[in-house]
């Protein structure tokens, strides 16, 4: 009887272990994987971190982890929609992302590129304009460990003219994708996928 119980426990442990390994591999699925004479470039799919719909105005914030030639970085994308003209939104070498963690720590990332002011697109079929603003941000030394230890509670973006705060929820069902997301654990769940 004791032998049978031990075998059952061992089987359950093996099953759980293989299931969690499968889930971990699935979490690290890459959108783009390039390995050529110029080096390597790996990017994860965009992850919806924040959305807000109020009247005709819509804001969607996506993050995507990436690694090029051994250097991990974060791709930032803000998609804004409105039936009125959307003001210019610029990022430059002074722009930063600040993540406030649930343990009180603040993690800062720096913008890697020259000034970029996004792209304004007219969407006649929706009767709206859309502005897509993107930027790449580098991790500062030691910050990746901090991001893996505690959930995110707030994201502050410093652009060329202002600071914008985005409250990061523990989870929500997106009106855009109809899927449930858990943005507060984004780095805890996915940072391992782009580490060396």
């Amino acid at each position: 009887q004791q032998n049978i119980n031990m075998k059952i426990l061992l089987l359950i442990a093996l099953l759980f272990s293989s299931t969690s390994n499968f889930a971990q591999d699935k979490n690290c699925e890459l959108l783009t994987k390039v390995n050529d004479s110029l080096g390597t470039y790996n990017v994860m799919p965009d992850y919806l971190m924040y959305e807000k719909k109020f009247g005709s105005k819509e804001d969607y914030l996506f993050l995507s982890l990436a690694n090029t030639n051994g250097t991990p970085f974060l791709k930032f994308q803000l998609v804004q929609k409105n039936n009125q003209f959307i003001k210019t939104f610029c990022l430059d070498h002074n722009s930063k992302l600040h993540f406030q963690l649930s343990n009180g720590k603040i993690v800062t990332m720096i913008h890697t590129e020259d000034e970029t002011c996004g792209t304004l697109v007219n969407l006649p079929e929706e009767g709206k304009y859309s502005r897509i603003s993107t930027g790449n941000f580098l991790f500062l030394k030691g910050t990746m460990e901090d991001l893996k230890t505690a959930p995110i509670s707030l994201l502050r973006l410093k652009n060329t003219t202002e600071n914008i705060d985005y409250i990061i929820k523990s989870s929500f069902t997106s009106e855009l994708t109809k899927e449930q997301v858990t943005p507060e654990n984004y780095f805890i769940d996915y940072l391992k996928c782009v580490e060396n």
Side-chain angles (χ1 to χ4, degrees):
Q1 180 68 29
Q2 192 173 8
N3 261 350
I4 293 172
N5 288 343
M6 285 302 288
K7 285 180 182 176
I8 291 171
L9 285 173
L10 184 60
L11 184 62
I12 290 170
L14 285 171
L15 182 62
F16 178 79
S17 171
S18 63
T19 304
S20 61
N21 285 341
F22 173 74
Q24 184 176 337
D25 291 344
K26 188 175 179 185
N27 283 347
C28 288
E29 189 174 322
L30 296 172
L31 177 67
T32 304
K33 186 174 184 175
V34 177
N35 192 354
D36 59 21
S37 60
L38 299 175
T40 60
Y41 179 68
N42 299 325
V43 182
M44 297 193 65
D46 290 335
Y47 194 91
L48 182 63
M49 297 294 290
Y50 172 91
E51 73 175 15
K52 181 178 181 182
K53 292 178 80 171
F54 185 79
S56 65
K57 187 179 179 189
E58 301 175 43
D59 290 338
Y60 303 99
L61 191 156
F62 298 90
L63 296 182
S64 176
L65 287 161
N67 186 315
T68 184
N69 294 326
T71 302
F73 63 97
L74 185 70
K75 297 173 73 64
F76 169 94
Q77 180 176 266
L78 180 65
V79 178
Q80 300 168 289
K81 291 184 178 184
N82 202 331
N83 59 9
Q84 299 175 13
F85 185 78
I86 303 167
K87 70 177 183 176
T88 302
F89 177 97
C90 297
L91 298 170
D92 66 8
H93 65 280
N94 291 316
S95 296
K96 294 178 174 63
L97 286 179
H98 302 284
F99 294 95
Q100 182 172 329
L101 307 182
S102 62
N103 62 8
K105 286 188 178 180
I106 295 177
V107 172
T108 300
M109 300 183 72
I110 55 172
H111 191 246
T112 63
E113 301 163 5
D114 295 329
E115 185 171 271
T116 173
C117 294
T119 305
L120 185 66
V121 179
N122 188 8
L123 305 171
E125 68 280 0
E126 294 182 35
K128 290 186 176 185
Y129 294 97
S130 179
R131 182 173 294 282
I132 302 168
S133 304
T134 61
N136 295 331
F137 290 82
L138 287 175
F139 295 93
L140 298 179
K141 188 175 181 179
T143 56
M144 292 178 78
E145 291 307 312
D146 289 333
L147 288 167
K148 288 191 292 186
T149 59
I152 310 161
S153 58
L154 184 115
L155 185 158
R156 172 172 288 172
L157 171 67
K158 178 189 182 301
N159 63 28
T160 53
T161 57
E162 62 184 328
N163 290 328
I164 307 170
D165 289 344
Y166 300 95
I167 295 170
I168 304 300
K169 297 179 179 178
S170 58
S171 68
F172 66 91
T173 301
S174 167
E175 291 185 45
L176 178 68
T177 65
K178 309 302 182 205
E179 295 177 357
Q180 186 169 14
V181 292
T182 54
E184 73 170 8
N185 288 326
Y186 180 67
F187 292 113
I188 293 171
D189 292 341
Y190 297 107
L191 202 46
K192 63 181 179 285
C193 303
V194 294
E195 287 183 298
N196 297 328

